[in-house]
Structures are given as C-alpha cells and as structure tokens.
Amino acid sequence: MWDYVVARRDEILFSSYQHASLVLQCVLLATVIALVVAVLVYRNRHLTSLAGSTTAIGLTIPSFALLGLLLTWLGFGVATSVVALTFYATLPILRNAVVGLSGVDRGTVEAARGIGMSRAATLLRVELPLAWPVVLTGIRVSTQMVMGIAAVAAYVLGPGLGGFIFSGLSRLGGANAVYSTLTGTIFVVVLALLVDLLLVLVGRLTTSRGIRA
Amino acid sequence: MPETTTTADEGAAGTTGASIHLQGVTKRYPGQPRPAVDGVDLEIRAGEILVLVGPSGCGKTTTLKMINRLIEPTSGRIVLDGEDVTTQDADKLRRRIGYVIQAGGLFPHMTVAANVGLVPKMLGWDKARTAARVDELLELVGLDPADYRGRYPRELSGGQQQRVGVARALAADPPVLLMDEPFGAVDPITRQRLQNELLSIQDELGKTIVMVTHDFDEAVKLGDRIAILDVGARIVQLGTPEEILTAPAEEFVSDFIGTGAALKTLTLSTLADVPLERGTTVTAGSPAAEAVAAARAAGDEFVVVLDAAGRPRRWVDVDRLAREDTVVATVDRDLPTLSRRATLHEALDTILTTAHNAVVVTGRRDTYLGYLSAETLLTSMTPARPASAAPAEGTGTPS
C-alpha cells in the first residue's frame, strides 16, 4: 500500500487538491445561496417552515440518484458535480441560517431599530453576526457531508479523489484495486478532518469574543 | 451623610429637552375589534419626566413606541419640538430620540465602547470624537471608561448593562429619552440605585424623558408627572404624584394605586417638611449635672450628645447620664441618623428597623437639627390621607 501511494504521490496530491477545491468552492457558493434564501424567509413563519421541510426532504434524496438525474440534463462533467454538491451543501447551511436568524433575541433587534439602525444595517451588523456561529456549524456539517458526496461525483467524471475509489471498485480482484479504493477513501477522510480544522479556525477568527461559547 | 450644598434643587443646568405632543394618536391592529391605542392626546413638556403607568395590555408600551415610530400610528400626529415627525424618515428620527429598554438591549457581540458609540458612528462622527464621547458617557453613568470600555456585555452585571444602555441612548445627546420598563430586570437594591442615578443624571441634563413602567412606586419616585392609562391607552389621570396620590380621579386610579396610598405619600415629603423636636442637647466634655437638670426641667427622657462641631454623637438616658460626671464623647454607631433630605418613608423605615422611637436629623455638614419621633411622623402622615380613608383612622391632629 505504502509503495502504491509513494509511486502515485503526484497524482494523489493533485486529486486531493482538486477534491478540496471543488468542495470548498461548492460550499462557498452554497453559503451565499443559503444566506440569501434564509434572509428572505426567516421573518415569515410559513416560509420558514417550508424551508425547514424542503431541507429535510432534500437531504433524503440519494446522491447517486440525483447525479444520475442531473446527467440526463447537464451531461458528464464538472458542471453536474458542482450543481449536485452545491445543492446538498446548501441544505444544512440554510436550515442553520434560518434557525440562527430566528434565534436572535427580538429585544436586541428592536433595540437596533430603536436607536435608528436601518433594516439592512440591523441585518448586517446585528442579526447576521449573532447568527454566525450557528451558520458556521451548518457550514461544517455541509463540508463534511459534501466531502463524501464529492467522491461519489467522480462517477460523473467530476474531479477529485473519487476516481481512485471507483477505478479500484471496478477492477476488484485486479492488481492494486484494493489499494486504489483505500487510498481514495483515506485521503477523503484526511481532507475532511483538515478542512474541518480550518473551519474551526475560521470560526475563532470571525466570531466576536462577546458571543463565543 | 455630608451635605455639600443646600441648593441642590436649583442645580439643573437649564433644559435641553424637547416637548412632545401626541395628537389623536391611534393604533389599530387588523383583526382586533378595539384599537390598542385609541386617540391619545398628550402633551409632554420639555425637560420633564413623564411616567406612563397602567395595567398590562393597556397600550402604554404601544404609546411609547409610537413616539419613535417603532410602531407606526394608524392615525394621529406626533409633534416633536413643534415639528411634525409623523411622516419623517423613521431611522433618522430615532437617532434624535434615545431609547432604553429592559436589560439595556445591548448588542452582545460588540464591546461596551462599540455599543455606546453606535449612534455617533451612524451620524458620521469621526473616531476621536466618538471615543471621547464614549468615555464621557461611561463616566456619567458611573463606569470607569478604562476598565469597562473594552468589555463585552456578558462580562457586566445586570445593573452595569442597564447603565451602558442609558449611556448608549444618551450618546448623540438627544433631547428626548424613551425608556421602556428600564429597571424591570434588575434586583430591587440595584433598581433603587439606578433610579437615584437617573434622577441625578436628569438634574444635570434636563432631557425630556418618557418612561413606561407597571410599578406605581417607581412612577411616584421618578415622575414629575404621571399618566395613568386604562385599556386603549385612555388617560384616566394625568398629574403630579402628589395630585394622583391625594386626589385620585376615579376608582380605577385608587385601585391602581392600591392600598397604602398614604404610605406612598411618605416618599413625597422629606424630613425638611416636617416639624422636628429639638430636645435637650449637651456638648461632650461639659458637666453632666447641668444637662440632667435641663432635661428634667424640659421633661425630656433622654439627652442628645453633640461634639464640638455640633454633630450628634449618641443619645443617652437622663438617669444614666446622672451617673456620669462629665459627658463623654463616645460615638454610638447605631444612632439612627438621617439627612433632612431623606424621605419620610426612609424615616419610617429607619424607626421600624432600628427599634428606636425616633430618628436623629442632621443638616448641613452633619450638624444636629433635631429629632423626629414616631408620634410626630404619624401625625405628619395624617393630612395626606385620602379623605375617604380618614374617618376610621383620622385621629391625629394636622400640624
């Protein structure tokens, strides 16, 4: 196994980089989408519960099935991977963003309005910063989840470590087949841990000391 | 209690407040048969503290929030300092009106300095000016800027948070301060302290303050005038605390004042308003026999011992004093002493808790003025009793 990894280290490192890059970009995009949607719905009780049930149902769609369906529409390639990953990444972030924003103390929001902050200023300077730790937890959940799904997305020829897993699985019994699958899996897990660590660090840096747990 | 000046009442540095005029202000919520606030007309004078009190659901908070249009009135006009602000940009209007809510409403993710400096920042003040203003305000509310400026709200006690809330509301020096049950979330002792601080800040600044509370005692203590509201924010009575306590306009008001209106009037008068008994005094160091003779001649059972500066040191039984040669100057730390600025309520409280029959009253520089006996205190209470309550208990002679 070690020899296998050493022999292919350039290929593995490049795939890992691609894998991480794909995941992070999709999560970033998902965060923006989720925040926009959350801001639009969190004041309305009906829309909030609609968003809640949508995210719950969305997460039950098997990733393999969604990728298959997207294939018929977008074809093989990175676009399909990006759409699927962003879709899954959006759901936990959206759920947490709605919870976080509705959890901001109404008295605090009223105080902001009462001292003359506009709606937008209240949202940007009071509500979002206060909801941020909860949003960030959603981002961490999303990232972990999407790390795994990105491996599956290699099926539609998106980039990343999934290639090792699938080529190994399709050649089971052949030379290095198990090593290939194991390498893909282990590096996905290691990447997930590293990125999670990074997000914890981001959380420390972006959360006010006044609300840090 | 050292008295530094005898003219503290005249210390107000002129009025900087603005008058507020509510004209037929009404708030109707869809789906509710009766308006929450039904055509309120109210003139709030510049520089006064007006307290809105009433049972919960009477519309007092809605009325308050319509002044800075956190709640938009359905109809009616709000005139601030002669200017109709009913249709003005609400955000800009609110920057001219300080707003204090229960527990301060501080932003937990911002430091004390950032909280207090928010409005100046929105008004475009530069950093140096904002920072100087923040320090000035923290000092005003009794928090050392060096120590508190960098703290976060959760690192403060409830009373300190409330102080910062007041500082934030005063940041841009608004002429008007709205306070929505500001002292509702702190313990009674802190509440009293904050109330006293608010009064001394008001002595200094002379803002127009409109405050909502459900605590009638708080209203009596803080209000220059009190408006008692019933459902629909109907103003049942508007007047000074004295007027309301001594002449409640309707049964609703008497009910709301509750039992013990006479007891509440005790907070309205100070020891300076009641006759004191001088008693027999003796300066420490003089022969005891003279004092004993004087006291027996006057029929006093005890003698008050003063030091050379005329400050009361102790009181002593005539019979005990007769056994002394020279009057000694020992200090009785338990001597019940109050400044003449103390309220009759405090005097009664002191008499009840110290188990003495009287309390010693001091004037400027702690000099002895006389004493107030429990009997005199009871007599002084009598005239303030509502007429309806008089027959049963009105045996004292008004003096």
Side-chain angles (χ1 to χ4, degrees):
Chain A
M1 167 105 187
W2 183 247
D3 296 334
Y4 176 86
V5 172
V6 172
R8 288 169 180 74
R9 60 178 184 276
D10 288 342
E11 198 189 335
I12 292 173
L13 281 178
F14 182 66
S15 292
S16 297
Y17 161 75
Q18 278 194 316
H19 196 97
S21 162
L22 174 69
V23 167
L24 289 180
Q25 290 183 55
C26 289
V27 168
L28 200 67
L29 186 60
T31 304
V32 173
I33 295 171
L35 284 178
V36 169
V37 176
V39 163
L40 292 176
V41 306
Y42 81 104
R43 281 178 179 284
N44 183 309
R45 208 157 41 82
H46 300 294
L47 290 178
T48 300
S49 66
L50 184 70
S53 42
T54 308
T55 55
I57 293 169
L59 285 170
T60 64
I61 301 175
S63 53
F64 220 71
L66 184 72
L67 284 166
L69 289 171
L70 285 175
L71 265 184
T72 61
W73 174 40
L74 293 169
F76 285 89
V78 179
T80 310
S81 302
V82 169
V83 170
L85 292 190
T86 307
F87 171 77
Y88 283 112
T90 305
L91 302 178
I93 304 176
L94 174 60
R95 186 188 56 204
N96 277 32
V98 170
V99 169
L101 284 173
S102 355
V104 175
D105 177 50
R106 295 328 293 163
T108 308
V109 175
E110 193 187 271
R113 302 289 286 144
I115 64 168
M117 290 174 86
S118 65
R119 258 262 48 98
T122 306
L123 182 68
L124 290 176
R125 308 216 14 225
V126 176
E127 292 175 280
L128 280 176
L130 288 177
W132 180 243
V134 184
V135 176
L136 197 71
T137 307
I139 294 177
R140 284 177 62 190
V141 171
S142 274
T143 311
Q144 300 297 299
M145 195 179 73
V146 170
M147 276 289 178
I149 298 178
V152 178
Y155 169 71
V156 289
L157 296 183
L161 290 163
F164 286 93
I165 301 175
F166 279 95
S167 74
L169 288 177
S170 59
R171 296 184 284 113
L172 265 188
N176 287 334
V178 174
Y179 289 158
S180 175
T181 305
L182 270 180
T183 302
T185 310
I186 289 169
F187 272 81
V188 166
V189 171
V190 169
L191 259 193
L193 288 175
L194 284 177
V195 172
D196 198 46
L197 218 63
L198 185 77
L199 284 175
V200 170
L201 194 71
V202 169
R204 292 291 293 182
L205 294 175
T206 55
T207 307
S208 154
R209 197 158 61 80
I211 53 171
R212 216 177 282 158
Chain B
M1 249 176 266
E3 294 251 320
T4 48
T5 165
T6 49
T7 53
D9 305 343
E10 293 149 36
T15 298
T16 62
S19 66
I20 306 165
H21 202 167
L22 304 185
Q23 299 170 345
V25 170
T26 299
K27 181 64 191 181
R28 239 174 248 283
Y29 287 105
Q32 281 179 12
R34 294 208 292 176
V37 172
D38 193 1
V40 167
D41 287 299
L42 184 59
E43 175 121 42
I44 302 154
R45 299 173 193 148
E48 78 170 337
I49 300 184
L50 180 85
V51 185
L52 307 175
V53 281
S56 46
C58 69
K60 55 188 190 293
T61 300
T62 310
T63 305
L64 183 84
K65 286 182 183 170
M66 283 196 286
I67 296 176
N68 68 357
R69 292 180 36 226
L70 271 178
I71 295 177
E72 290 287 352
T74 315
S75 61
R77 296 206 313 152
I78 299 146
V79 179
L80 183 68
D81 217 6
E83 177 192 357
D84 187 343
V85 295
T86 325
T87 52
Q88 212 187 50
D89 180 281
D91 292 333
K92 290 214 178 82
L93 171 69
R94 290 185 199 128
R95 289 173 204 168
R96 290 164 53 197
I97 300 180
Y99 185 56
V100 183
I101 63 172
Q102 200 174 78
L106 301 182
F107 303 130
H109 58 301
M110 296 184 194
T111 61
V112 165
N115 267 287
V116 176
L118 259 178
V119 180
K121 198 172 158 189
M122 283 191 284
L123 292 173
W125 293 21
D126 63 51
K127 274 190 181 156
R129 186 176 168 208
T130 304
R133 180 68 180 155
V134 166
D135 286 3
E136 183 187 342
L137 282 162
L138 289 179
E139 258 163 39
L140 178 73
V141 298
L143 297 173
D144 175 20
D147 192 3
Y148 286 95
R149 156 193 325 124
R151 292 207 199 182
Y152 284 92
R154 69 169 174 191
E155 296 162 338
L156 305 176
S157 71
Q160 290 168 340
Q161 290 187 15
Q162 195 59 63
R163 286 192 179 92
V164 176
V166 172
R168 184 176 67 183
L170 290 170
D173 205 19
V176 174
L177 210 54
L178 304 181
M179 309 182 92
D180 188 1
E181 305 230 7
F183 309 129
V186 292
D187 63 89
I189 294 169
T190 309
R191 183 179 315 158
Q192 280 210 333
R193 196 174 303 148
L194 290 172
Q195 287 169 344
N196 292 337
E197 284 174 11
L198 179 70
L199 286 174
S200 65
I201 288 174
Q202 173 66 355
D203 268 352
E204 213 174 304
L205 303 181
K207 303 290 181 192
T208 305
I209 300 180
V210 188
M211 179 187 294
V212 160
T213 179
H214 59 258
D215 179 357
F216 187 73
D217 295 328
E218 181 165 86
V220 170
K221 178 165 183 183
L222 298 179
D224 292 318
R225 289 194 302 157
I226 299 176
I228 297 189
L229 307 185
D230 193 1
V231 177
R234 177 177 73 93
I235 298 173
V236 182
Q237 189 171 10
L238 174 66
T240 63
E242 289 88 341
E243 286 163 7
I244 286 173
L245 282 170
T246 53
E250 288 180 25
E251 207 179 319
F252 176 82
V253 178
S254 339
D255 286 350
F256 191 76
I257 294 170
T259 51
L263 212 53
K264 282 166 193 167
T265 60
L266 289 180
T267 54
L268 297 174
S269 344
T270 65
L271 292 173
D273 304 328
V274 294
L276 301 176
E277 285 158 78
R278 181 70 192 173
T280 304
T281 58
V282 60
T283 306
S286 52
E290 273 176 36
V292 172
R296 291 208 164 123
D300 287 329
E301 288 167 13
F302 62 89
V303 174
V304 180
V305 178
L306 309 180
D307 67 6
R311 295 174 297 200
R313 281 295 165 255
R314 61 180 175 127
W315 52 21
V316 57
D317 220 59
V318 173
D319 296 333
R320 258 197 65 197
L321 192 63
R323 293 196 289 271
E324 291 179 27
D325 278 342
T326 314
V327 180
V328 288
T330 46
V331 179
D332 177 4
R333 295 203 183 281
D334 297 328
L335 184 72
T337 311
L338 284 176
S339 145
R340 69 199 168 111
R341 296 217 175 270
T343 64
L344 294 189
H345 193 273
E346 286 171 84
L348 181 64
D349 193 57
T350 308
I351 288 174
L352 291 176
T353 51
T354 57
H356 284 285
N357 248 332
V359 54
V360 170
V361 182
T362 56
R364 214 191 309 192
R365 293 177 194 282
D366 290 341
T367 52
Y368 178 74
L369 284 181
Y371 67 86
L372 177 70
S373 66
E375 294 83 51
T376 317
L377 180 59
L378 284 176
T379 314
S380 312
M381 287 163 64
T382 314
R385 283 183 191 168
S388 60
E393 311 140 276
T395 47
T397 359
S399 45

